[in-house]
Amino acid sequence: MSSEIPSDLSYTEAHEWVRRSGDGVVRVGITDHAQSQLGDVVFVQLPTVGDTLAAGDAMGEVESTKSVSDIYAPVGGEVVAVNDGLDAAPELVNSAPYGDGWIVEIRLADGTSLDGLLDADAYRQLADGD
């Protein structure tokens, strides 16, 4: 079964998605493909609001019944919000990866663009190759 891959998002090769939310802020989560590979998510370690990240930095972890996986910052910037709802309900990453299961919001560092990220078609090719 093919994973859900919304066309309005950008993606990373590490299976994170990025959605522009305006004012230089992006919302980040893990993709439907990633959550299905992980299995049942039981814990999400979030970064701290105010953390400064470089693209590619590990910014947290997703722990499932099968494994523990790092979550990587898809872009550089400052963490301006984290999804505290995942503390009580980490399974939202499984049930709503593009909705209530989001992970973090990052204010993009000056000069940062999303140009280096994958579009939905490129990500679909990557995900189908797994």
Side-chain angles (χ1 to χ4, degrees), residues 41-60:
V41 173
V42 294
F43 177 73
V44 181
Q45 179 190 351
L46 299 166
T48 303
V49 172
D51 283 358
T52 300
L53 303 166
D57 282 359
M59 62 175 182

Side-chain angles (χ1 to χ4, degrees), residues 59-106:
M59 62 175 182
E61 290 179 342
V62 176
E63 188 175 326
S64 72
T65 52
K66 294 199 281 192
S67 66
V68 176
S69 300
D70 285 329
I71 307 166
Y72 297 99
V75 293
E78 179 188 351
V79 176
V80 293
V82 296
N83 187 353
D84 293 328
L86 297 178
D87 289 345
E91 66 276 4
L92 287 170
V93 170
N94 294 122
S95 61
Y98 302 113
D100 292 340
W102 65 278
I103 307 283
V104 65
E105 290 185 345
I106 298 171

